[in-house]
Amino acid sequence: MTLPDSTKVPFGGDYNPEQWPEEVWDQDYRLFDAARIDTVTLGVFDWAMIQPAADVYDFTILDRIVARAAAEGRGICLATGTGAHPAWLARAYPEVTRTDFEGRKHRFGQRHNACPSSPAFRRFATELARRIARRYADTPAVVAWHVGNEYGGACYCDRCAEAFRDWLRARYTTLAALNAAWYTRFWSHTFTAWDEIEPPPALTEHWRGPDHTAFQGITLDYLRFMSDALLGGFLAEKAAIRESSPDTPVTTNFMGMYRPIDYHRWAPHLDFASWDNYPPDDTSPAWMALAHDLIRGLKDGQPFWLMEQTPSVTPCRDVNPPKRPGVMRLWSWQAVAHGADSVLFFQLRASRGACEKYHGAVIGHAGRRDTRVFREVAQLGAELDQVGAATLGARTPARVALLFDWDSWWALEMSDGPSRLVRYQQVVLSYYRALWEAGIDVDVVAVTADLSNYQVVLAPALHMLKGDLPQRLEQVATRGGSVLATFLSGRVDEDDNAFLLDVPGPLGPLFGVRIDEWDARGPEVVNPVLLQFGSERLAADARLLFELVIPQGADVVGTYQSDFYAGTPAVTRNPFGAGAGWYVAAGLDQAGVSWVVRQVCEPHGLTGRYPTVPGLETAARVAPDGTRLLFLLNHRAEPVEVTADASGVDLLTGRQVDRGRPLRLEPHGVVLLREDG
Ligand code: GLA
Ligand code: ZN
């Protein structure tokens, strides 16, 4: 089962008519008509309304909401309503609320905060999902089920401790195996009974917050366990839905690069992936592109849904600028360019009270259509209508894979080591950005993904090596591909214990180096790196981390220029099979990273389309009938003019574009080229 059936990109978003009298619904639907909004996500936080008491279910209002949306011809993404639990539930069953990392037992309040090990929560949430599905499964307007909302966080209560022990028993079978995996001879931690095992919050193994643990193995397993425990809630609701709705696809909305949950562990259980795009600031197009590609990679490159984005403001930060004119449209097309088969907002109408009353919305408090935001939404709605089915189901023709691994992320950032300033997301983003700036399509995939179709595999900060990954990376190089890894790769096995080998452990033969030691310095210290490959040269800067490399067959591509290791290798290339293994030992600046990635990709004919035009993003998709779609996205506030490198029709304007002729993009402009034959 894959995505909901559709004849065009579904357009709309979260809609909460239960907060309003029905006269307002009339106004909403006329505005939805004007903006060509065809899809509404309903009931994400309706639990207390539907079930006002343990033994009372009241569907009066939801029935009317669903019937109205159906009568208006809208597709419905129907939620199970379990993103926030009702006050009566928390009062009757105190176990429902979580115990936090600091050990504080929470009381009723906020949302997304039920203990995943609470039997009462599981029972009531599942029953709610069951009843909602039973009631609306035969409503043809319901195109998808939306379970919970933005699963996340963690609980450290006694029930979770029990469930953790069960999870560990299933994983290790014996205490001897667990003691070995956790390396418990260290600091007298040998466990002699399962009941002695504690979760690892601030009261036990941690100090100075979640990144500082005495036992990485324990914390790592708790993160894996918690990811699985929360998944258990999703699976129970999904199973309850399936009792009456065998065919309608089920999803839950992810959050991109969200550290607490390993989305690769969840992905097989979703019928299609979806996510909420709230970039950290308004200057992050590469970050968004990476997140889109990561979500697309969850289901083997299958398109996903953009479940939420704000039409203008996200109000929860300290300073909250609106999206500038054209930016909402640009970012919507960026999502489509990277594989989104929907464009949905949070939210369609602004709520009147509580913490999201100033959140961006298609319809504001005054209900006007003559606002900038509404106009831009309506314009996008018209464009999506016009483009119709052209992009649906289209796949990304990437020849490059970038590995993304939650275990490596967790292990790297919770380990005392060279530097707390080296952050996994930043390292991954810098290598992704090199591809993104060049305009090279990339799949962001799990370490378990099939790598046999890629010419280039980038593995930034591949701290942990699991399973047969080293062999599969070697196979990429053996058949002529290139593999790149960076500092802090190949350090630990899947229990987070160091390899009893030279660094980079089992990756040593592929990269032809051994790392003798590291140097780590504050961000103010620069060690210049001179890069040279063929006739290409660059003087780059490196910061934060400098591994000291002793080549074991690899050729030197870059050398450090200062300190006691001046003249020694910072970047190497090892011929391996018909291909090569590149190792970047230094924290190169973006210019350096981009230079190295270019040298890696060029021999494979992977050069990108407009690599020298800053701010111009390109992305390709190939429709199921083989039609090639090329997206050009101008992230700058100035116009850009390039020489077109492909011919076809711009589906947004109907204009013909000819290869070799000038092609102009307006500030924040978009071209969606359907390439000729
Ligand atoms: C998340 C949630 C929504 C809403 C938005 C606000 O994505 O899923 O319910 O709170 O954030 O940005
Ligand atoms: Zn708990």
Side-chain angles (χ1 to χ4, degrees):
M1 193 176 304
T2 61
L3 289 117
D5 286 338
S6 189
T7 53
K8 64 171 280 289
V9 173
F11 185 55
D14 278 52
Y15 179 43
N16 300 300
E18 66 278 12
Q19 296 176 15
W20 303 94
E22 293 199 23
E23 309 83 80
V24 177
W25 306 4
D26 298 337
Q27 194 186 42
D28 291 339
Y29 276 101
R30 300 300 59 90
L31 290 168
F32 295 168
D33 287 342
R36 307 188 195 213
I37 282 169
D38 52 41
T39 301
V40 289
T41 301
L42 300 174
V44 180
F45 298 108
D46 280 352
W47 191 341
M49 178 185 88
I50 299 168
Q51 192 180 10
D55 49 0
V56 181
Y57 289 89
D58 180 356
F59 286 95
T60 320
I61 297 174
L62 190 58
D63 281 351
R64 294 186 69 82
I65 290 171
V66 168
R68 179 67 188 262
E72 295 277 359
R74 265 58 177 194
I76 300 171
C77 176
L78 190 54
T80 58
T82 54
H85 54 256
W88 61 258
L89 182 66
R91 183 149 178 264
Y93 300 92
E95 65 179 52
V96 166
T97 57
R98 288 183 184 175
T99 298
D100 68 17
F101 179 78
E102 308 296 335
R104 299 173 302 189
K105 167 71 179 163
H106 283 221
R107 302 169 69 109
F108 177 71
Q110 300 187 45
R111 64 167 179 178
H112 300 163
N113 52 4
C115 165
S117 310
S118 155
F121 179 79
R122 177 69 57 88
R123 189 169 74 247
F124 280 100
T126 307
E127 183 58 19
L128 186 66
R130 177 177 294 116
R131 286 179 188 242
I132 289 175
R134 197 187 297 149
R135 196 165 187 96
Y136 304 110
D138 297 330
T139 303
V142 174
V143 298
W145 299 108
H146 178 300
V147 174
N149 194 64
E150 294 193 333
Y151 281 90
C155 180
Y156 296 88
C157 75
D158 291 343
R159 284 175 199 273
C160 284
E162 267 307 316
F164 181 43
R165 292 176 199 122
D166 291 343
W167 185 93
L168 292 169
R169 269 191 211 100
R171 181 175 171 83
Y172 294 107
T173 312
T174 67
L175 276 174
L178 172 141
N179 280 312
W182 287 358
Y183 204 68
T184 53
R185 281 279 165 88
F186 183 77
W187 287 4
S188 210
H189 266 51
T190 305
F191 294 103
T192 53
W194 294 96
D195 287 350
E196 293 164 2
I197 297 167
E198 296 282 355
L203 301 176
T204 59
E205 301 298 352
H206 278 255
W207 72 97
R208 280 176 62 200
D211 284 350
H212 295 259
T213 173
F215 279 82
Q216 281 72 30
I218 301 180
T219 300
L220 194 62
D221 273 345
Y222 202 75
L223 284 159
R224 291 166 171 160
F225 153 72
M226 190 48 64
S227 195
D228 287 357
L230 290 160
L231 174 61
F234 169 85
L235 289 175
E237 290 191 39
K238 183 177 178 186
I241 290 169
R242 283 283 170 259
E243 291 168 17
S244 52
S245 173
D247 300 323
T248 304
V250 176
T251 192
T252 185
N253 47 343
F254 287 158
M255 292 177 276
M257 286 174 284
Y258 177 67
R259 196 171 85 152
I261 302 234
D262 183 345
Y263 290 152
H264 289 131
R265 294 174 90 92
W266 281 56
H269 306 288
L270 274 59
D271 296 321
F272 67 101
S274 66
W275 83 288
D276 302 344
N277 180 18
Y278 297 97
D281 53 45
D282 54 1
T283 58
S284 308
W287 182 96
M288 293 188 289
L290 166 53
H292 287 309
D293 288 351
L294 172 71
I295 299 294
R296 192 185 71 244
L298 295 178
K299 302 288 288 179
D300 288 331
Q302 185 183 295
F304 57 90
W305 267 24
L306 176 63
M307 189 64 88
E308 295 181 23
Q309 64 169 342
T310 178
S312 57
V313 171
T314 309
C316 56
R317 316 219 159 94
D318 288 348
V319 177
N320 300 293
K323 291 178 180 172
R324 315 329 264 184
V327 168
M328 180 278 293
R329 168 178 182 259
L330 173 69
W331 291 5
S332 299
W333 283 114
Q334 184 195 33
V336 176
H338 286 269
D341 268 5
S342 80
V343 173
L344 303 173
F345 296 106
F346 183 92
Q347 50 193 336
L348 296 187
R349 178 180 273 272
S351 51
R352 186 170 182 207
C355 62
E356 288 176 351
K357 65 179 175 293
Y358 299 133
H359 197 289
V362 174
I363 306 170
H365 293 138
R368 305 188 74 88
R369 68 178 67 195
D370 55 348
T371 64
R372 176 182 72 87
V373 169
F374 188 87
R375 269 195 302 275
E376 291 196 23
V377 169
Q379 187 204 350
L380 178 60
E383 279 186 343
L384 289 166
D385 263 12
Q386 187 185 319
V387 170
T391 60
L392 293 179
R395 312 278 291 206
T396 301
R399 316 303 305 161
V400 179
L402 183 142
L403 303 187
F404 193 98
D405 183 41
W406 265 265
D407 278 330
S408 277
W409 188 357
W410 291 336
L412 180 82
E413 294 191 353
M414 71 162 94
S415 292
D416 286 358
S419 174
R420 290 282 177 179
L421 302 181
V422 176
R423 307 304 290 179
Y424 183 74
Q425 262 196 85
Q426 293 309 319
V427 179
V428 170
L429 182 57
S430 68
Y431 283 82
Y432 181 87
R433 186 186 295 279
L435 296 163
W436 180 82
E437 284 178 348
I440 298 172
D441 294 309
V442 51
D443 286 341
V444 178
V445 300
V447 293
T448 50
D450 176 7
L451 301 176
S452 55
N453 285 321
Y454 297 107
Q455 291 171 291
V456 170
V457 176
L458 303 185
L462 183 63
H463 195 64
M464 177 178 291
L465 295 178
K466 294 178 282 193
D468 62 350
L469 180 62
Q471 291 83 336
R472 288 186 298 113
L473 289 173
E474 285 186 359
Q475 281 159 17
V476 172
T478 301
R479 60 173 170 73
S482 297
V483 180
L484 175 148
T486 71
F487 49 85
L488 293 178
S489 292
R491 296 264 170 179
V492 294
D493 65 16
E494 75 168 277
D495 299 323
D496 202 45
N497 290 317
F499 292 112
L500 299 178
L501 293 168
D502 290 326
V503 177
L507 297 177
L510 173 55
F511 295 113
V513 292
R514 92 173 164 80
I515 310 308
D516 197 40
E517 60 176 324
W518 70 59
D519 186 16
R521 308 299 300 274
E524 69 290 350
V525 177
V526 170
N527 195 324
V529 171
L530 200 59
L531 296 158
Q532 182 162 9
F533 187 63
S535 57
E536 299 275 335
R537 288 167 72 93
L538 183 79
D541 285 345
R543 289 185 179 77
L544 299 185
L545 191 57
F546 319 90
E547 286 180 342
L548 275 55
V549 178
I550 299 178
Q552 312 282 298
D555 302 323
V556 178
V557 174
T559 46
Y560 293 112
Q561 298 300 298
S562 73
D563 220 311
F564 72 94
Y565 44 94
T568 71
V571 178
T572 57
R573 178 186 183 277
N574 188 43
F576 189 96
W582 291 71
Y583 192 84
V584 182
L588 293 177
D589 60 13
Q590 188 62 51
V593 169
S594 296
W595 184 93
V596 173
V597 170
R598 192 162 67 244
Q599 310 315 318
V600 173
C601 290
E602 256 174 16
H604 300 283
L606 298 165
T607 49
R609 286 170 184 269
Y610 305 103
T612 56
V613 184
L616 179 62
E617 175 176 2
T618 64
R621 288 182 76 178
V622 180
D625 67 358
T627 307
R628 287 185 64 87
L629 301 164
L630 176 63
F631 296 79
L632 293 100
L633 306 150
N634 178 14
H635 289 282
R636 295 166 57 142
E638 303 99 61
V640 175
E641 198 170 293
V642 294
T643 302
D645 78 339
S647 301
V649 177
D650 179 358
L651 296 179
L652 303 180
T653 58
R655 270 202 315 255
Q656 177 68 29
V657 172
D658 294 310
R659 186 198 313 267
R661 306 275 303 162
L663 172 60
R664 184 187 150 93
L665 283 104
E666 297 306 319
H668 298 139
V670 181
V671 167
L672 200 185
L673 201 64
R674 187 182 63 212
E675 290 188 46
D676 291 342

